[in-house]
Amino acid sequence: MSNDIRVRFAPSPTGHLHIGGARSALFNYLFARNQGGKFIVRIEDTDQARNVETATEKLMESMKWLGIDWDESVDVGGPHAPYRSMERLDLYNRYVDQLLKEGKAFHCYMTEEELEAEREEQRKRGETPMYSGRDRHLTDEQKRAYEAEGKKPVVRFMVPKGQEIVVDDAVRGKVTFDSDGIGDFVIVRTDGIPTYNFAVTVDDHTMGISHVIRGEEHLSNAPLQVMLYEALGFETPTFAHASLILNEDRQKMSKRDESIIQFVEQYRDLGYMPEAIVNFIALLGWSPGGEQEIMTKNELIEAFSLDRVVKAPAVFDTKKLSWMNNQYMKEADDDQVVWLAQPHLQKAGKLPEMMSDEQKQWAYDLIVLHKEKMDCGADIVPLTELFFQDEIEYDEDAKAILGEEQVPEVLEAFLKNLDSLEEFEAAAIKKAMKDVQKSTGHKGKKLFMPIRVAVSGQQHGPDLPQMIALLGRTVVTTRLKGLL
Ligand code: GLU
């Protein structure tokens, strides 16, 4: 039944929305919308040392910017509130008590030093270090003795011996784990706060989550959660672990690698379009089949299914992202492109914060002229450098072009034609150029290239008459005169 489909994105509020997190959020969102189910955002904040105060707001802001909305969460509430783990401690405690009472969990008083010593022994014996089970069967008397020493226990889950744990995964099929390779893991820390694996299991069950869709880095947590589901008598949801996201060197992306832009907010700040980012992220480990790559959010919703989530790692190809954003910018309204790019000219000090109507129009035309070339809004700054320079440098190639025989005649005629223009605008400038062709007989490259190089110092650039119009009469005539 479609309305039993309930999925969630469960970020820990530790920082900005990472590309990997955004991918999990998006896959859950697309799945929910495709199935007519519910999408929940739950804040998993039990690892308090890692919490960052404004992270929840920032994560939500980035999701909203991407156009991902949710049905239940900390801000909009919902039938399973609260949606923040730290407000659900009573609930967790009830289930911890249940496990303790049933002998499926136990208090462990081992100190970090004792645990390390134990691991060291195991390593020496060539074994994989794992909790030994020392405190599995403490008597009340032993417990009291530890307490008298001031020791605070953790609660560990008693991992059943010799079992095959099966994670039924919509992407990977049945993935099996040997329980003997998993030590009795901590479910409640000494401060009484549950660990991620425990809280997530209780939350997913009590919130009626039908599908747990997340990144492959959580696949190793899945058997722990499956054991908890079984011990608590809960029905296990369907898991779906999307592939890892690798960098271009095919290494796992590290959040600390500053050579790649990895946070959604950074893309927003660089003037990327949310539609492009969504499109790009959707294709990280999911394939719609067929050739079409540019897809709107609605097309993605329509096409999304878990059986097309791929097992093979996805590669975060920044060139593809630039290409995709460029495709979206080319198709976007001029107004929107200006809105994305103009702040970058202002931030770079090229344009004042407060602009006259005339300046606004000039900036508008300048940005639109470069629309096709921009991979993101910030690109406008390097692309338009020559519009903000008083002097231009002519490199060797430019000098060679300006040294051609016909150049003085062409530039002189052009300058004369420009002088007689009443309106210094593109159509008139174009005509002035045509008139040079008529009067001198030079045409094509012989005509346009020296003019382009003379006014811009470059052989390539946007539409020439428009560029000249935006450079303005004073700049253009000064540059031409300087060469004659
Ligand atoms: N809080 C976990 C994280 O941020 C969620 C993992 C999950 O989806 O189960 O990675």
Side-chain angles (χ1 to χ4, degrees), residues 8 10-12 44 196 200 214 218:
R8 80 326 188 256
S12 299
E44 295 195 334
Y196 154 72
V200 80
R214 59 189 176 192
H218 286 292

Side-chain angles (χ1 to χ4, degrees), residues 151-381:
K151 283 189 176 149
K152 279 200 158 40
V154 297
V155 180
R156 286 183 186 270
F157 177 69
M158 202 177 284
V159 172
K161 292 271 174 244
Q163 276 198 13
E164 187 178 73
I165 316 294
V166 182
V167 176
D168 201 354
D169 191 285
V171 178
R172 280 145 222 280
K174 288 194 190 329
V175 188
T176 56
F177 296 83
D178 179 356
S179 75
D180 289 345
I182 303 171
D184 296 338
F185 55 93
V186 176
I187 57 173
V188 182
R189 299 190 194 89
T190 48
D191 60 6
I193 295 175
T195 55
Y196 154 72
N197 275 309
F198 189 75
V200 80
T201 303
V202 171
D203 287 341
D204 284 341
H205 169 74
T206 52
M207 291 185 179
I209 299 302
S210 61
H211 296 71
V212 170
I213 307 168
R214 59 189 176 192
E216 191 183 326
E217 62 276 16
H218 286 292
L219 183 60
S220 58
N221 286 319
L224 279 60
Q225 292 164 19
V226 166
M227 287 191 278
L228 287 171
Y229 278 104
E230 283 168 8
L232 289 161
F234 300 160
E235 197 188 326
T236 31
T238 301
F239 290 97
H241 290 92
S243 63
L244 292 177
I245 304 177
L246 306 181
N247 64 23
E248 279 155 43
D249 300 330
R250 302 204 140 251
Q251 305 289 321
K252 190 174 181 307
M253 272 222 281
S254 147
K255 284 191 185 174
R256 278 174 291 279
D257 180 356
E258 287 179 9
S259 68
I260 333 172
I261 304 171
Q262 303 185 41
F263 294 94
V264 169
E265 206 176 20
Q266 291 172 297
Y267 284 104
R268 184 195 66 191
D269 293 348
L270 284 169
Y272 278 78
M273 289 178 56
E275 296 85 349
I277 304 281
V278 161
N279 192 159
F280 176 78
I281 292 177
L283 301 178
L284 285 176
W286 172 78
S287 148
E291 295 292 301
Q292 193 186 350
E293 284 209 293
I294 302 288
M295 295 173 82
T296 63
K297 191 172 83 176
N298 284 338
E299 285 171 333
L300 292 170
I301 290 173
E302 183 94 356
F304 193 83
S305 67
L306 290 178
D307 57 15
R308 288 201 154 277
V309 174
V310 292
K311 267 189 271 187
V315 175
F316 188 83
D317 178 349
T318 47
K319 277 191 225 66
K320 181 168 173 184
L321 174 54
S322 298
W323 167 81
M324 197 169 268
N325 201 60
N326 172 264
Q327 300 292 307
Y328 274 84
M329 286 187 87
K330 280 193 216 166
E331 292 297 318
D333 289 344
D334 289 353
D335 283 0
Q336 196 185 352
V337 174
V338 171
W339 187 80
L340 289 171
Q342 185 177 293
H344 292 278
L345 288 172
Q346 290 169 309
K347 235 185 290 158
K350 308 285 182 189
L351 293 174
E353 286 300 322
M354 296 292 290
M355 293 193 282
S356 66
D357 287 350
E358 203 181 325
Q359 281 173 316
K360 278 188 198 151
Q361 186 60 51
W362 182 81
Y364 193 99
D365 294 341
L366 180 73
I367 293 165
V368 172
L369 183 61
H370 293 87
K371 185 172 160 178
E372 302 275 312
K373 282 268 175 273
M374 272 186 271
D375 288 344
C376 66
D379 278 355
I380 196 65
V381 178

